[in-house]
Amino acid sequence: MGANELSALLWRERELLELLTFKLEEEQLLLTAGRTRWIDHATREVEQVLDRLRTTGLERSVEVSSVAQQWGTDEEAPLRDIIAAAPAGPWGEIFTAHLRAMTDLTARIAQLRDENERFLRAAARATQETLAATTDDATAAAGAIYDATGSTAATAAGRRVGTPGGTTASGGHLFDGSL
């Protein structure tokens, strides 16, 4: 356990952050193209990368603790403190490059996450509005649906006073076989 292993883990974590960036951009492309059929798959892939990142993050914590002990700093020191405690040589620069790249990737991921969330909210809002309009149209159209007497609600509302419900002007019921 040491600086080499920590650097290798940081590379793996960076690769996973790159993959997460790609998956979030892929999800965004699907959202902007209206390809909602594939959103579940894209979201599942994002979650799989996040699970792998959690595992790698735990492994990194163990390695950071080991390097921190070797370099005489607190076992729970963040990577910035490890960089500050690095002995003379390339490790300070290597870990600084890792930290900078991971910080940039994390900022891009946060931006993509926020943009995707806005797209999803807009899509949900549009779906709700469409459903509400469809429900209103269906309610209005319900007046044009025939009831058991063969009349529509609109026809029933416009019946002449004195005619029994469901009768026509000639006195017969619609669809009762007496016509």
mmCIF file of all heavy atoms in Angstrom, residues 32-64:
data_model
loop_
_atom_site.group_PDB
_atom_site.id
_atom_site.type_symbol
_atom_site.label_atom_id
_atom_site.label_comp_id
_atom_site.label_asym_id
_atom_site.label_seq_id
_atom_site.Cartn_x
_atom_site.Cartn_y
_atom_site.Cartn_z
ATOM 1 N N THR A 32 -33.408 15.703 -24.653
ATOM 2 C CA THR A 32 -33.619 16.813 -25.591
ATOM 3 C C THR A 32 -34.211 16.321 -26.906
ATOM 4 O O THR A 32 -34.914 17.064 -27.577
ATOM 5 C CB THR A 32 -32.319 17.593 -25.872
ATOM 6 O OG1 THR A 32 -31.330 16.700 -26.357
ATOM 7 C CG2 THR A 32 -31.826 18.290 -24.620
ATOM 8 N N ALA A 33 -33.931 15.074 -27.271
ATOM 9 C CA ALA A 33 -34.481 14.512 -28.504
ATOM 10 C C ALA A 33 -35.890 13.959 -28.297
ATOM 11 O O ALA A 33 -36.528 13.540 -29.255
ATOM 12 C CB ALA A 33 -33.560 13.415 -29.041
ATOM 13 N N GLY A 34 -36.342 13.936 -27.053
ATOM 14 C CA GLY A 34 -37.670 13.392 -26.772
ATOM 15 C C GLY A 34 -37.724 11.875 -26.843
ATOM 16 O O GLY A 34 -38.790 11.287 -26.987
ATOM 17 N N ARG A 35 -36.602 11.226 -26.729
ATOM 18 C CA ARG A 35 -36.529 9.751 -26.783
ATOM 19 C C ARG A 35 -36.728 9.169 -25.389
ATOM 20 O O ARG A 35 -35.844 8.519 -24.840
ATOM 21 C CB ARG A 35 -35.191 9.301 -27.362
ATOM 22 C CG ARG A 35 -34.890 9.816 -28.722
ATOM 23 C CD ARG A 35 -35.781 9.160 -29.719
ATOM 24 N NE ARG A 35 -35.347 9.526 -31.061
ATOM 25 C CZ ARG A 35 -35.807 8.948 -32.124
ATOM 26 N NH1 ARG A 35 -36.691 7.988 -32.026
ATOM 27 N NH2 ARG A 35 -35.401 9.344 -33.296
ATOM 28 N N THR A 36 -37.879 9.412 -24.822
ATOM 29 C CA THR A 36 -38.150 9.000 -23.443
ATOM 30 C C THR A 36 -38.180 7.484 -23.274
ATOM 31 O O THR A 36 -38.039 6.997 -22.161
ATOM 32 C CB THR A 36 -39.476 9.599 -22.954
ATOM 33 O OG1 THR A 36 -40.517 9.214 -23.853
ATOM 34 C CG2 THR A 36 -39.393 11.116 -22.880
ATOM 35 N N ARG A 37 -38.324 6.770 -24.357
ATOM 36 C CA ARG A 37 -38.348 5.307 -24.290
ATOM 37 C C ARG A 37 -37.073 4.755 -23.653
ATOM 38 O O ARG A 37 -37.099 3.732 -22.980
ATOM 39 C CB ARG A 37 -38.523 4.767 -25.699
ATOM 40 C CG ARG A 37 -38.393 3.288 -25.809
ATOM 41 C CD ARG A 37 -38.528 2.849 -27.245
ATOM 42 N NE ARG A 37 -38.316 1.414 -27.336
ATOM 43 C CZ ARG A 37 -38.036 0.779 -28.434
ATOM 44 N NH1 ARG A 37 -37.946 1.442 -29.564
ATOM 45 N NH2 ARG A 37 -37.844 -0.513 -28.438
ATOM 46 N N TRP A 38 -35.944 5.445 -23.864
ATOM 47 C CA TRP A 38 -34.654 4.939 -23.422
ATOM 48 C C TRP A 38 -34.159 5.565 -22.117
ATOM 49 O O TRP A 38 -33.083 5.215 -21.640
ATOM 50 C CB TRP A 38 -33.603 5.161 -24.511
ATOM 51 C CG TRP A 38 -33.987 4.482 -25.789
ATOM 52 C CD1 TRP A 38 -34.352 5.082 -26.952
ATOM 53 C CD2 TRP A 38 -34.062 3.069 -26.031
ATOM 54 N NE1 TRP A 38 -34.653 4.141 -27.897
ATOM 55 C CE2 TRP A 38 -34.483 2.890 -27.354
ATOM 56 C CE3 TRP A 38 -33.821 1.949 -25.248
ATOM 57 C CZ2 TRP A 38 -34.669 1.639 -27.918
ATOM 58 C CZ3 TRP A 38 -34.007 0.701 -25.806
ATOM 59 C CH2 TRP A 38 -34.421 0.552 -27.123
ATOM 60 N N ILE A 39 -34.935 6.455 -21.541
ATOM 61 C CA ILE A 39 -34.503 7.149 -20.326
ATOM 62 C C ILE A 39 -34.272 6.167 -19.180
ATOM 63 O O ILE A 39 -33.305 6.299 -18.429
ATOM 64 C CB ILE A 39 -35.521 8.244 -19.921
ATOM 65 C CG1 ILE A 39 -35.565 9.342 -20.986
ATOM 66 C CG2 ILE A 39 -35.197 8.822 -18.563
ATOM 67 C CD1 ILE A 39 -34.265 10.072 -21.193
ATOM 68 N N ASP A 40 -35.139 5.176 -19.039
ATOM 69 C CA ASP A 40 -34.953 4.181 -17.966
ATOM 70 C C ASP A 40 -33.605 3.479 -18.096
ATOM 71 O O ASP A 40 -32.903 3.277 -17.103
ATOM 72 C CB ASP A 40 -36.073 3.140 -17.980
ATOM 73 C CG ASP A 40 -37.378 3.679 -17.460
ATOM 74 O OD1 ASP A 40 -37.366 4.712 -16.769
ATOM 75 O OD2 ASP A 40 -38.421 3.053 -17.738
ATOM 76 N N HIS A 41 -33.250 3.108 -19.321
ATOM 77 C CA HIS A 41 -31.967 2.435 -19.534
ATOM 78 C C HIS A 41 -30.800 3.362 -19.202
ATOM 79 O O HIS A 41 -29.848 2.951 -18.540
ATOM 80 C CB HIS A 41 -31.840 1.949 -20.984
ATOM 81 C CG HIS A 41 -32.800 0.871 -21.347
ATOM 82 N ND1 HIS A 41 -32.696 -0.408 -20.875
ATOM 83 C CD2 HIS A 41 -33.905 0.900 -22.131
ATOM 84 C CE1 HIS A 41 -33.687 -1.138 -21.352
ATOM 85 N NE2 HIS A 41 -34.442 -0.367 -22.118
ATOM 86 N N ALA A 42 -30.887 4.591 -19.668
ATOM 87 C CA ALA A 42 -29.808 5.557 -19.406
ATOM 88 C C ALA A 42 -29.672 5.823 -17.913
ATOM 89 O O ALA A 42 -28.554 5.882 -17.385
ATOM 90 C CB ALA A 42 -30.074 6.855 -20.164
ATOM 91 N N THR A 43 -30.798 5.960 -17.226
ATOM 92 C CA THR A 43 -30.771 6.206 -15.786
ATOM 93 C C THR A 43 -30.171 5.014 -15.049
ATOM 94 O O THR A 43 -29.375 5.183 -14.115
ATOM 95 C CB THR A 43 -32.190 6.514 -15.277
ATOM 96 O OG1 THR A 43 -32.690 7.644 -15.985
ATOM 97 C CG2 THR A 43 -32.197 6.786 -13.791
ATOM 98 N N ARG A 44 -30.517 3.820 -15.473
ATOM 99 C CA ARG A 44 -29.958 2.616 -14.849
ATOM 100 C C ARG A 44 -28.440 2.584 -15.036
ATOM 101 O O ARG A 44 -27.694 2.239 -14.108
ATOM 102 C CB ARG A 44 -30.599 1.364 -15.448
ATOM 103 C CG ARG A 44 -30.225 0.102 -14.709
ATOM 104 C CD ARG A 44 -30.944 -1.160 -15.205
ATOM 105 N NE ARG A 44 -32.310 -0.941 -15.638
ATOM 106 C CZ ARG A 44 -32.732 -1.049 -16.921
ATOM 107 N NH1 ARG A 44 -31.879 -1.367 -17.869
ATOM 108 N NH2 ARG A 44 -33.992 -0.853 -17.231
ATOM 109 N N GLU A 45 -27.959 2.965 -16.210
ATOM 110 C CA GLU A 45 -26.519 2.988 -16.462
ATOM 111 C C GLU A 45 -25.822 4.031 -15.596
ATOM 112 O O GLU A 45 -24.724 3.790 -15.095
ATOM 113 C CB GLU A 45 -26.248 3.243 -17.945
ATOM 114 C CG GLU A 45 -26.621 2.059 -18.813
ATOM 115 C CD GLU A 45 -26.452 2.341 -20.300
ATOM 116 O OE1 GLU A 45 -26.220 3.508 -20.674
ATOM 117 O OE2 GLU A 45 -26.547 1.381 -21.082
ATOM 118 N N VAL A 46 -26.456 5.179 -15.410
ATOM 119 C CA VAL A 46 -25.894 6.206 -14.521
ATOM 120 C C VAL A 46 -25.777 5.643 -13.111
ATOM 121 O O VAL A 46 -24.750 5.809 -12.438
ATOM 122 C CB VAL A 46 -26.760 7.491 -14.550
ATOM 123 C CG1 VAL A 46 -26.400 8.423 -13.401
ATOM 124 C CG2 VAL A 46 -26.620 8.204 -15.886
ATOM 125 N N GLU A 47 -26.819 4.963 -12.641
ATOM 126 C CA GLU A 47 -26.805 4.389 -11.291
ATOM 127 C C GLU A 47 -25.722 3.325 -11.145
ATOM 128 O O GLU A 47 -25.075 3.234 -10.096
ATOM 129 C CB GLU A 47 -28.180 3.815 -10.957
ATOM 130 C CG GLU A 47 -29.235 4.889 -10.767
ATOM 131 C CD GLU A 47 -30.654 4.339 -10.674
ATOM 132 O OE1 GLU A 47 -30.847 3.104 -10.801
ATOM 133 O OE2 GLU A 47 -31.572 5.150 -10.483
ATOM 134 N N GLN A 48 -25.487 2.542 -12.196
ATOM 135 C CA GLN A 48 -24.433 1.531 -12.139
ATOM 136 C C GLN A 48 -23.057 2.179 -12.003
ATOM 137 O O GLN A 48 -22.220 1.712 -11.223
ATOM 138 C CB GLN A 48 -24.478 0.645 -13.389
ATOM 139 C CG GLN A 48 -25.680 -0.272 -13.423
ATOM 140 C CD GLN A 48 -25.847 -0.973 -14.764
ATOM 141 O OE1 GLN A 48 -25.201 -0.634 -15.758
ATOM 142 N NE2 GLN A 48 -26.740 -1.957 -14.800
ATOM 143 N N VAL A 49 -22.836 3.253 -12.730
ATOM 144 C CA VAL A 49 -21.547 3.961 -12.628
ATOM 145 C C VAL A 49 -21.409 4.567 -11.230
ATOM 146 O O VAL A 49 -20.330 4.509 -10.625
ATOM 147 C CB VAL A 49 -21.409 5.043 -13.723
ATOM 148 C CG1 VAL A 49 -20.140 5.857 -13.522
ATOM 149 C CG2 VAL A 49 -21.425 4.407 -15.100
ATOM 150 N N LEU A 50 -22.500 5.125 -10.700
ATOM 151 C CA LEU A 50 -22.452 5.691 -9.350
ATOM 152 C C LEU A 50 -22.117 4.622 -8.313
ATOM 153 O O LEU A 50 -21.348 4.892 -7.382
ATOM 154 C CB LEU A 50 -23.784 6.373 -9.012
ATOM 155 C CG LEU A 50 -24.039 7.699 -9.717
ATOM 156 C CD1 LEU A 50 -25.472 8.165 -9.465
ATOM 157 C CD2 LEU A 50 -23.044 8.752 -9.272
ATOM 158 N N ASP A 51 -22.658 3.423 -8.469
ATOM 159 C CA ASP A 51 -22.324 2.326 -7.548
ATOM 160 C C ASP A 51 -20.833 1.994 -7.627
ATOM 161 O O ASP A 51 -20.180 1.796 -6.594
ATOM 162 C CB ASP A 51 -23.144 1.074 -7.864
ATOM 163 C CG ASP A 51 -24.595 1.186 -7.426
ATOM 164 O OD1 ASP A 51 -24.909 2.075 -6.593
ATOM 165 O OD2 ASP A 51 -25.419 0.396 -7.930
ATOM 166 N N ARG A 52 -20.304 1.932 -8.834
ATOM 167 C CA ARG A 52 -18.871 1.652 -8.999
ATOM 168 C C ARG A 52 -18.023 2.767 -8.398
ATOM 169 O O ARG A 52 -16.974 2.508 -7.800
ATOM 170 C CB ARG A 52 -18.544 1.444 -10.476
ATOM 171 C CG ARG A 52 -19.131 0.147 -11.021
ATOM 172 C CD ARG A 52 -19.004 -0.007 -12.514
ATOM 173 N NE ARG A 52 -17.642 0.071 -12.995
ATOM 174 C CZ ARG A 52 -17.330 0.210 -14.288
ATOM 175 N NH1 ARG A 52 -18.273 0.268 -15.195
ATOM 176 N NH2 ARG A 52 -16.065 0.274 -14.655
ATOM 177 N N LEU A 53 -18.500 4.010 -8.537
ATOM 178 C CA LEU A 53 -17.773 5.139 -7.940
ATOM 179 C C LEU A 53 -17.758 5.060 -6.419
ATOM 180 O O LEU A 53 -16.745 5.381 -5.791
ATOM 181 C CB LEU A 53 -18.399 6.463 -8.385
ATOM 182 C CG LEU A 53 -17.821 7.087 -9.634
ATOM 183 C CD1 LEU A 53 -18.709 8.210 -10.138
ATOM 184 C CD2 LEU A 53 -16.412 7.571 -9.401
ATOM 185 N N ARG A 54 -18.870 4.642 -5.831
ATOM 186 C CA ARG A 54 -18.917 4.500 -4.364
ATOM 187 C C ARG A 54 -17.894 3.476 -3.894
ATOM 188 O O ARG A 54 -17.173 3.700 -2.917
ATOM 189 C CB ARG A 54 -20.323 4.098 -3.913
ATOM 190 C CG ARG A 54 -21.291 5.244 -3.874
ATOM 191 C CD ARG A 54 -22.659 4.836 -3.307
ATOM 192 N NE ARG A 54 -23.663 5.666 -3.912
ATOM 193 C CZ ARG A 54 -24.452 5.335 -4.922
ATOM 194 N NH1 ARG A 54 -24.395 4.130 -5.438
ATOM 195 N NH2 ARG A 54 -25.319 6.177 -5.421
ATOM 196 N N THR A 55 -17.834 2.357 -4.587
ATOM 197 C CA THR A 55 -16.880 1.313 -4.220
ATOM 198 C C THR A 55 -15.449 1.824 -4.359
ATOM 199 O O THR A 55 -14.618 1.637 -3.460
ATOM 200 C CB THR A 55 -17.083 0.071 -5.118
ATOM 201 O OG1 THR A 55 -18.428 -0.384 -4.962
ATOM 202 C CG2 THR A 55 -16.120 -1.034 -4.757
ATOM 203 N N THR A 56 -15.167 2.486 -5.457
ATOM 204 C CA THR A 56 -13.827 3.026 -5.679
ATOM 205 C C THR A 56 -13.505 4.104 -4.647
ATOM 206 O O THR A 56 -12.364 4.202 -4.183
ATOM 207 C CB THR A 56 -13.706 3.598 -7.113
ATOM 208 O OG1 THR A 56 -14.037 2.562 -8.035
ATOM 209 C CG2 THR A 56 -12.305 4.090 -7.394
ATOM 210 N N GLY A 57 -14.494 4.908 -4.284
ATOM 211 C CA GLY A 57 -14.288 5.932 -3.258
ATOM 212 C C GLY A 57 -13.906 5.334 -1.923
ATOM 213 O O GLY A 57 -13.047 5.873 -1.210
ATOM 214 N N LEU A 58 -14.523 4.196 -1.572
ATOM 215 C CA LEU A 58 -14.154 3.511 -0.324
ATOM 216 C C LEU A 58 -12.726 2.973 -0.399
ATOM 217 O O LEU A 58 -11.953 3.089 0.560
ATOM 218 C CB LEU A 58 -15.137 2.371 -0.036
ATOM 219 C CG LEU A 58 -16.550 2.796 0.373
ATOM 220 C CD1 LEU A 58 -17.466 1.587 0.445
ATOM 221 C CD2 LEU A 58 -16.524 3.520 1.704
ATOM 222 N N GLU A 59 -12.383 2.396 -1.544
ATOM 223 C CA GLU A 59 -11.018 1.894 -1.723
ATOM 224 C C GLU A 59 -10.011 3.038 -1.624
ATOM 225 O O GLU A 59 -8.946 2.886 -1.023
ATOM 226 C CB GLU A 59 -10.887 1.186 -3.076
ATOM 227 C CG GLU A 59 -11.689 -0.102 -3.180
ATOM 228 C CD GLU A 59 -11.692 -0.678 -4.595
ATOM 229 O OE1 GLU A 59 -10.976 -0.149 -5.481
ATOM 230 O OE2 GLU A 59 -12.423 -1.654 -4.809
ATOM 231 N N ARG A 60 -10.376 4.182 -2.217
ATOM 232 C CA ARG A 60 -9.489 5.350 -2.160
ATOM 233 C C ARG A 60 -9.290 5.800 -0.719
ATOM 234 O O ARG A 60 -8.187 6.139 -0.305
ATOM 235 C CB ARG A 60 -10.053 6.501 -2.994
ATOM 236 C CG ARG A 60 -9.181 7.755 -2.901
ATOM 237 C CD ARG A 60 -9.706 8.926 -3.716
ATOM 238 N NE ARG A 60 -11.127 9.060 -3.805
ATOM 239 C CZ ARG A 60 -11.891 9.741 -2.930
ATOM 240 N NH1 ARG A 60 -11.341 10.316 -1.898
ATOM 241 N NH2 ARG A 60 -13.195 9.832 -3.118
ATOM 242 N N SER A 61 -10.367 5.794 0.061
ATOM 243 C CA SER A 61 -10.269 6.205 1.468
ATOM 244 C C SER A 61 -9.267 5.348 2.227
ATOM 245 O O SER A 61 -8.480 5.855 3.039
ATOM 246 C CB SER A 61 -11.631 6.124 2.149
ATOM 247 O OG SER A 61 -12.513 7.052 1.582
ATOM 248 N N VAL A 62 -9.279 4.053 1.945
ATOM 249 C CA VAL A 62 -8.332 3.138 2.597
ATOM 250 C C VAL A 62 -6.903 3.481 2.172
ATOM 251 O O VAL A 62 -5.993 3.554 3.008
ATOM 252 C CB VAL A 62 -8.680 1.666 2.272
ATOM 253 C CG1 VAL A 62 -7.587 0.725 2.747
ATOM 254 C CG2 VAL A 62 -10.020 1.289 2.881
ATOM 255 N N GLU A 63 -6.698 3.706 0.885
ATOM 256 C CA GLU A 63 -5.359 4.039 0.388
ATOM 257 C C GLU A 63 -4.880 5.392 0.903
ATOM 258 O O GLU A 63 -3.708 5.550 1.247
ATOM 259 C CB GLU A 63 -5.321 4.031 -1.142
ATOM 260 C CG GLU A 63 -5.287 2.658 -1.741
ATOM 261 C CD GLU A 63 -4.085 1.829 -1.319
ATOM 262 O OE1 GLU A 63 -2.968 2.376 -1.168
ATOM 263 O OE2 GLU A 63 -4.261 0.619 -1.132
ATOM 264 N N VAL A 64 -5.786 6.369 0.938
ATOM 265 C CA VAL A 64 -5.417 7.693 1.461
ATOM 266 C C VAL A 64 -4.973 7.556 2.912
ATOM 267 O O VAL A 64 -3.977 8.157 3.331
ATOM 268 C CB VAL A 64 -6.588 8.694 1.315
ATOM 269 C CG1 VAL A 64 -6.380 9.925 2.181
ATOM 270 C CG2 VAL A 64 -6.765 9.106 -0.142
#
